């Protein structure tokens, strides 16, 4: 293990131990405590070296999500910003834009603010719960939620909150791993061929995900929360060869059903 990897391993040690019991408990407060603790441990590991703060979502996702935020948006919320707030930082580079970066862990929010400042962007950092956002209705021109909805004990409440704080005519962008991605499909086929039948969660992108979605499932959740789908986009895989082919095939329907990440563009 290299020196750069050691802080990350230490920071995630407690998280890996706590996740199985928290998920098995079925108690929302236990699940949320996971991320408060993770923020504390990440801050302890990286407060003196914010340049090395790990990104907790696919690195290719940030540009796609940020690019879906309308250029007219002036007040933007990143709901679930993570310790390396790549989406918030990308949007915050635009002239005349104010970005509020929210996460449930104080340590996470402190790191996010410091990391963005190091990259030349000032964020308004807020500790809060996506299921109960501490903002008045309709205040944001755009809201982004990247790699967060799958962690929420009550995803419907979270989606309703994203809608509530978005202005009429505003934009909500939700990104989350695709349960039916091409990569997952390959792993499933290999397991079937070998006679293995692991549970669905075995294929999730992270141990702590409570669920993962298909395009249809995520769209249903959005509609039931008072949001309408106005667009869909995808996130490519890195590298050439088979990954470049997979990215090209899944960029548009019908191949999009196997895309790496689901990105829905929504409006109230």
């Amino acid at each position: 293990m290299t020196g750069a990897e050691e802080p990350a391993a230490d920071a995630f040690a407690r998280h890996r131990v706590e996740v199985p019991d928290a998920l098995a408990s079925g108690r929302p407060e236990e699940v949320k405590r996971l991320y408060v603790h993770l923020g504390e441990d990440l801050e302890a590991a990286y407060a003196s070296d914010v340049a090395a703060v790990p990104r907790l979502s696919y690195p290719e996702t940030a540009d796609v999500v940020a690019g879906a935020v309308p250029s007219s948006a002036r007040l933007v919320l990143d709901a679930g910003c993570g310790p390396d707030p790549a989406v918030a930082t990308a949007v915050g580079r635009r002239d005349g834009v104010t970005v509020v970066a929210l996460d449930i862990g104080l340590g996470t929010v402190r790191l996010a603010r410091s990391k963005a400042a190091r990259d030349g962007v000032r964020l308004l950092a807020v500790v809060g719960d996506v299921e109960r956002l501490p903002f008045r209705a309709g205040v944001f021109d755009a809201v982004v939620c990247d790699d967060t909805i799958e962690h929420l004990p009550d995803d419907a409440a979270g989606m309703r909150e994203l809608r509530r704080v978005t202005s009429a005519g505003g934009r909500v962008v939700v990104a989350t791993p695709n349960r039916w991605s091409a990569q997952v499909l390959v792993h499933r086929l290999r397991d079937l061929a070998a006679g293995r039948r692991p549970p669905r969660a075995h294929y999730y992108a992270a141990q702590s995900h409570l669920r993962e979605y298909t395009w249809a499932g995520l769209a249903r959740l959005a509609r039931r929360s008072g949001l309408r789908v106005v667009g869909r986009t995808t996130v490519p895989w890195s590298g050439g060869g088979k990954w470049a082919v997979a990215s090209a095939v899944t960029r548009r329907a019908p191949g999009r059903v196997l895309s790496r990440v689901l990105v829905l563009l929504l409006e109230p």
Side-chain angles (χ1 to χ4, degrees), residues 120-182:
V121 175
R122 180 178 179 271
L123 301 178
L124 300 181
V126 175
V127 177
D129 186 343
V130 176
E131 294 178 14
R132 298 181 64 183
L133 291 171
F135 309 111
R136 64 180 174 82
V139 69
F140 293 101
D141 301 316
V143 174
V144 298
C145 186
D146 172 25
D147 203 0
T148 297
I149 197 76
E150 69 276 7
H151 295 276
L152 301 181
D154 190 341
D155 58 346
M159 193 72 87
R160 287 194 299 269
E161 281 291 272
L162 301 181
R163 175 193 55 77
R164 182 184 67 80
V165 302
T166 304
S167 64
R171 171 69 54 82
V172 178
V173 184
V174 177
T176 185
N178 183 6
R179 197 177 85 209
W180 286 0
S181 78

Side-chain angles (χ1 to χ4, degrees), residues 75-121:
L75 183 60
V76 178
L77 171 66
D78 184 351
C81 63
D84 180 359
V87 175
T89 300
V91 176
R93 293 189 192 281
R94 302 178 184 177
D95 291 339
V97 176
T98 298
V99 180
V100 178
L102 174 141
D103 213 289
I104 199 167
L106 176 59
T108 302
V109 167
R110 285 173 172 165
L111 283 175
R113 182 176 58 188
S114 297
K115 179 66 165 63
R118 181 190 177 279
D119 294 336
V121 175

